[in-house]
Amino acid sequence: MTATIDTGLFGPYGGRYVPEALIAALDELAKMHQELKNDRSFVAELSHLHKTYSGRPSILTEANRFADYCGGARILLKREDLNHTGSHKINNVLGQALMTKRMGKKRVIAETGAGQHGVASATAAALLGLECVVYMGEEDTKRQALNVARMRLLGATVVPVTAGSRTLKDAINEAMRDWVTNVETTHYILGTVAGPHPFPVMVRDFHRIIGDEARAQVLELTGALPTAVLACVGGGSNAIGIFYPFIDEKSVRLIGLEAGGDGLETGRHASAISGGRPGVLHGARSYMLQDEDGQTIESHSISAGLDYPGVGPEHAHLYDIGRAEYWPITDKEAMEAFSLLCRTEGIIPAIETAHALAGAIKLGKELGPNSTLLINLSGRGDKDVQTAAEYFGMA
Amino acid sequence: MQTSLERVLHQARGENRAALIGYIPAGFPTVEGCKRAIDVLIDSGFDAVEIGYPYSDPVMDGPIIQEAADQALRNGVKAKDVLGTLHHATERGAAAVVMTYWNPIEQFGVDKFAHAIAQAGGSGVITPDLSFEQAQPWNQSAARAGINTIYVVAPSTTDDRLRKVTGITSGFIYAASLMGVTGTRTSVSNSAQELVARIRQVSDLPVAVGLGVSTPEQAREVATYADGVIIGSALIKELLGKDLDKGLVGLEELALSLAAATRSANRESPGVSGAKEARGVK
């Protein structure tokens, strides 16, 4: 499933659809990614940070009480929520921030939706002494105010983006404009497996540690591979991270849970694969939400982190070849699963992650007690407490 | 066969002057208002017009063009309006091209789009986010339709890549004057002249400079070394947030002074670039 190194194509998806001004920087990045992948000192430095800073390996938790609501299927949670900064995002950010140092650049920029990637970027920048600017849709700065404060405490500049739908897609546009202008001094820490080559490949490689660890942990615990691996999909970084080491294991079902918002039939959703069609957005070809002219349609989701009209190109390819499935989960289903995990396991998940939990409830009921479901618990829900309290009428 | 654009650029070279090219998004400030603005540009002495295809995610554009495109999209501008505006310009006898991000072409149908441009009398398409690696299907369709494929190069483009990109370009080479997005600037970056000189080493095609060229003084300066001067944001600024009739008066004033400035530029003798002929569609 490895994309071609020079062009970054996954079947007909991926590639580079960007202003010529960025090509030289993307070439440099692609070359550096290839070199550093096998560079002992780089790998050791990153591994040291994983162990001593972000807290890897993340643990595997068996969710026995939650399993009662999943048709009795065995439920195993890969606890990325326990990483420093509270989600899987730190894996990629530490990798790219170390690369930034090696490129001799002193400034990083990032886009953020829910704020998790922005917080992770601000954290890594503080740790490594880099200037950090985070672009965030104005709409998202309101629904994720806690994360805005965290980023500012960490010394980052948060720029609210007021263009377009004022969410993640517009934050990416603004980050790209900054990057085109300041590419000589600045690295763009793209937070998901989308964007122009080499980002989809590079970000996946920094996140595959989730799947590598989980695979070994599940084998040790159960003596077998899981029946299915589930993860929520916005751009798709946590999903590709946990899927990747299982792609060649044909017996393992891979299921990505997209944000179904109010339901696909309402048109108010963020399910690029289940409810979109192929096109080009943010530098790569993939599935996306668009009108007949190719204008991007605004996405809708209760979860800021999944509120994105596109998806990473590798997911598009996995879907086309039938290797992975992508199901939409409505806001309502996600919030029910959110509440259930809180009350059965004492874990408050991110609302993004709750989409994967809702998928597990569905799949568990379908497969029954003889199945093992590995779920990427990609983030914790502290940032969502306000939204959830309002949703459940507790505020 | 030469496109109108190629003829116009060839003629300007013959007169030892730079061509003046104006950009305006279709549907801005309205579909009809845009056509009137195009008339003003043509009547004021612009040699060619670029009609922008308003797009929801314009990562190459600064605040002025973003706002104009946004307004056009809010007005409900569609592909047929872009083609209709192109047709209007070419019927008026102007050399005209469309400038668009890639996705609208892909969704329209690559072959179909090239054909529709030719049908509307358009000379070609500028594709600022279609990278060399992804360009082949478009180049084939454009060649079949007999239209120009205009690519953008930047100060960061390596010599090796300049050779590749200019090799698939026809009509003119769009030289981005600086590393950045569209918009008005107080001065034209030095990198523009350096880039044009580097392009001359690898290609005989006409070179037009765009991005941040906004005043008559800047146009005159660029016209001393480039084959074309591209003005976008400055023209749009005249119409943004203004009553159309008043806006068009301001636009005409600016357009006339840009045309006069471009024509008054002191150029080296035609020996340097003018001796080499503008090349036809390959």
Side-chain angles (χ1 to χ4, degrees), chain B residues 244-260:
Chain B
L244 180 61
D245 288 322
K246 276 187 198 147
L248 289 175
V249 171
L251 181 68
E252 185 178 23
E253 202 176 313
L254 176 64
L256 287 168
S257 61
L258 286 166

Side-chain angles (χ1 to χ4, degrees), chain A residues 21-336:
Chain A
L22 290 180
I23 295 289
L26 291 169
D27 278 346
E28 182 194 10
L29 207 56
K31 187 164 162 272
M32 188 142 224
H33 168 239
Q34 284 307 320
E35 285 171 8
L36 293 182
K37 248 173 110 166
N38 305 310
D39 179 296
R40 258 191 226 166
S41 74
F42 181 81
V43 172
E45 200 178 354
L46 183 56
S47 171
H48 181 74
L49 283 179
H50 281 326
K51 284 201 188 84
T52 63
Y53 190 69
S54 45
R56 301 208 73 89
S58 66
I59 58 173
L60 196 69
T61 298
E62 177 145 21
N64 290 314
R65 275 169 41 76
F66 184 77
D68 290 343
Y69 298 85
C70 304
R74 205 166 175 188
I75 301 292
L76 303 176
L77 306 175
K78 178 61 174 165
R79 299 293 302 280
E80 292 296 299
D81 61 320
L82 297 179
N83 294 340
H84 181 43
T85 72
S87 80
H88 70 291
K89 294 291 187 189
I90 192 80
N91 304 328
N92 166 48
V93 161
L94 286 176
Q96 288 200 46
L98 284 181
M99 284 178 80
T100 306
K101 294 282 269 191
R102 298 222 172 187
M103 287 186 282
K105 293 181 174 179
K106 305 252 185 291
R107 178 175 180 265
V108 292
I109 55 172
E111 85 293 343
T112 198
Q116 293 302 94
H117 176 59
V119 167
S121 297
T123 300
L127 177 70
L128 298 176
L130 300 165
E131 182 193 346
C132 179
V133 175
V134 180
Y135 292 96
M136 188 171 188
E138 193 184 41
E139 184 66 25
D140 293 335
T141 60
K142 287 179 196 153
R143 48 180 174 176
Q144 304 288 345
L146 177 71
N147 273 344
V148 174
R150 288 169 80 194
M151 287 183 268
R152 288 183 173 146
L153 288 171
L154 290 161
T157 304
V158 180
V159 181
V161 176
T162 55
S165 60
R166 306 176 180 213
T167 59
L168 181 55
K169 101 177 165 68
D170 307 285
I172 294 177
N173 291 343
E174 208 53 39
M176 298 264 267
R177 291 183 189 115
D178 180 317
W179 203 32
V180 170
T181 308
N182 301 303
V183 66
E184 272 180 45
T185 59
T186 299
H187 174 61
Y188 177 15
I189 305 185
L190 190 68
T192 190
V193 286
H197 177 65
F199 283 110
V201 179
M202 187 174 76
V203 176
R204 176 201 68 203
D205 287 350
F206 285 134
H207 279 308
R208 68 167 292 173
I209 192 168
I210 306 170
D212 286 333
E213 286 176 6
R215 192 177 188 280
Q217 288 166 324
V218 173
L219 277 173
E220 194 190 321
L221 183 71
T222 70
L225 289 170
T227 315
V229 180
L230 299 96
C232 63
V233 175
S237 68
N238 92 81
I240 211 75
I242 198 162
F243 286 177
Y244 193 64
F246 293 99
I247 287 175
D248 291 333
E249 305 287 358
K250 302 292 188 228
S251 69
V252 181
R253 280 173 76 179
L254 304 176
I255 303 172
L257 290 312
E258 298 192 293
D262 293 342
L264 289 199
E265 68 288 353
T266 66
R268 290 175 52 83
H269 61 83
S271 303
I273 294 178
S274 327
R277 65 172 202 279
V280 170
L281 175 66
H282 292 145
R285 178 180 293 110
S286 187
Y287 279 78
M288 58 175 288
L289 305 181
Q290 57 186 322
D291 71 9
E292 70 278 11
D293 276 355
Q295 306 287 356
T296 310
I297 292 175
E298 284 177 26
S299 54
H300 293 275
S301 170
I302 190 167
S303 145
L306 303 183
D307 201 350
Y308 179 60
V311 66
E314 192 163 10
H315 286 294
H317 184 56
L318 290 173
Y319 172 74
D320 272 14
I321 63 171
R323 180 62 192 96
E325 305 158 55
Y326 296 85
W327 303 352
I329 295 292
T330 63
D331 287 352
K332 186 165 176 286
E333 290 168 328
M335 293 311 289
E336 281 166 12

